[in-house]
Amino acid sequence: MEKRVTFKGWLLPMCLLMPQIIITAVFFFYPAGQAIYQSLFIPDPFGLSMQWVGLGNFEYLLGDSYYRASFVTTAVFSILVTVTSMGFALYLAVLADRLIKGSGIYRTLLIWPYAVAPAVAGVLWLFMFNTRVGVVSWYLGLLGYDWNHVLNEAEAMGLVVVASSWGRVSYNFLFFLAGLQAIPKSVIEAAAIDGARFWTRFRTIVFPLLSPTTFFLLVVNIVYAFFETFGVIHTITSGGPQQATTILVYKVFSDGFVSQDLGSSAAQSVILLVIVGALTIVQFKFIERRVHY
């Protein structure tokens, strides 16, 4: 039987819950409420006055071609970052899970990049691909390719995708490796004895048993691509060239802090919050049905 913990009164449970409730209220509910409130006004950049516009900020955003383009940019960027980081991490986890000499050292080295902050990762990749002093761009020039992510939109998008994925591979690697090590080796060995090759074993046994881990990482990586890649984009491209790398979260910053359009920025925050919430609900409602726990 499952052993359940019961409390004699309500004071101790409330004391245990209160720190989390306070943190959630102060750092989530209050800012979200302020964003919804300010999205209905056009505030003065100096905070001296506010003009009521109702849903005018939202109407302006939906009619703005640059804002609509940022939706497409965000979708492409999020898909590329999620697929790249998860796919490469799964490949590395499969290699690290195999019994090879020195595998512990390899696992430690693969985890290290997770300690690098997104902004620092952006600076590192920017130095390597700098058009004047970058090592990688210099070697590409020797091969006859003129790399210039400052002017080329495709190269800029590719660079921010690679930099964002590199910082996330280690996180995904940890969970995939833990999931692989939790799979009973006897099941895989039995399939091998029956004549199943490596790819067949992986496709029919390993990957289905990894579905809970994969689903969790899918949700987390999409949220990461929407929110936590701001530092990478800001340090490498600043949303350029021609707003080719301006995702939704960066446009919130650009309009709010650079252009001082606080009402529009608040409305964008509300829209972004709704989009991420809707995506999470869809994932749990439809994709989780294919997950085998």
Side-chain angles (χ1 to χ4, degrees):
M1 289 183 62
E2 181 183 357
K3 185 178 180 180
R4 304 188 63 176
V5 178
T6 58
F7 296 93
K8 297 181 179 179
W10 58 270
L11 183 59
L12 179 57
M14 286 301 299
C15 290
L16 296 174
L17 290 173
M18 192 56 65
Q20 183 62 46
I21 293 175
I22 293 174
I23 292 174
T24 304
V26 172
F27 293 101
F28 179 76
F29 288 113
Y30 177 74
Q34 283 292 310
I36 295 174
Y37 175 74
Q38 293 184 11
S39 67
L40 305 176
F41 295 86
I42 298 181
D44 182 89
F46 299 99
L48 301 178
S49 62
M50 300 178 69
Q51 179 183 353
W52 168 266
V53 293
L55 299 178
N57 287 322
F58 296 95
E59 295 175 359
Y60 168 77
L61 287 175
L62 296 178
D64 184 6
S65 59
Y66 287 108
Y67 185 67
R68 293 197 302 269
S70 67
F71 276 91
V72 179
T73 303
T74 303
V76 173
F77 175 76
S78 301
I79 292 172
L80 290 176
V81 170
T82 302
V83 173
T84 303
S85 60
M86 290 184 62
F88 194 58
L90 179 59
Y91 172 73
L92 293 176
V94 171
L95 294 180
D97 186 52
R98 303 180 68 178
L99 297 178
I100 57 177
K101 187 176 181 180
S103 59
I105 299 176
Y106 299 143
R107 295 171 188 174
T108 303
L109 294 176
L110 288 171
I111 293 171
W112 275 0
Y114 182 58
V116 180
V120 177
V123 172
L124 292 175
W125 285 90
L126 178 61
F127 271 115
M128 289 191 293
F129 283 88
N130 187 277
T131 55
R132 293 185 177 182
V133 297
V135 176
V136 178
S137 61
W138 183 75
Y139 277 110
L140 290 175
L142 294 180
L143 297 175
Y145 185 84
D146 184 18
W147 172 273
N148 193 343
H149 65 275
V150 179
L151 300 177
N152 191 299
E153 298 179 4
E155 292 176 356
M157 175 61 75
L159 182 56
V160 294
V161 166
V162 171
S164 301
S165 302
W166 175 80
R168 201 62 179 177
V169 166
S170 299
Y171 180 87
N172 298 334
F173 168 79
L174 285 173
F175 284 91
F176 275 132
L177 182 61
L180 288 171
Q181 292 178 341
I183 298 175
K185 300 298 181 183
S186 57
V187 178
I188 302 176
E189 292 172 355
I193 293 175
D194 290 339
R197 296 183 177 273
F198 172 80
W199 173 246
T200 303
R201 298 197 303 269
F202 180 82
R203 180 172 53 87
T204 59
I205 299 175
V206 176
F207 193 70
L209 292 176
L210 276 177
S211 57
T213 304
T214 305
F215 174 71
F216 165 75
L217 290 177
L218 178 65
V219 175
V220 171
N221 278 269
I222 289 178
V223 174
Y224 164 80
F226 266 80
F227 291 102
E228 299 180 37
T229 53
F230 169 84
V232 174
I233 293 176
H234 187 58
T235 53
I236 295 179
T237 63
S238 297
Q242 297 295 320
Q243 296 194 8
T245 57
T246 300
I247 62 175
L248 290 173
V249 69
Y250 193 82
K251 189 159 179 57
V252 172
F253 162 80
S254 177
D255 289 356
F257 289 90
V258 179
S259 302
Q260 291 295 306
D261 190 356
L262 302 180
S264 175
S265 178
Q268 293 177 45
S269 301
V270 175
I271 294 174
L272 184 59
L273 180 65
V274 172
I275 291 174
V276 174
L279 283 175
T280 305
I281 293 173
V282 168
Q283 288 172 348
F284 274 92
K285 187 174 181 61
F286 297 102
I287 301 179
E288 192 183 23
R289 294 179 180 178
R290 301 177 180 271
V291 177
H292 304 282
Y293 292 98

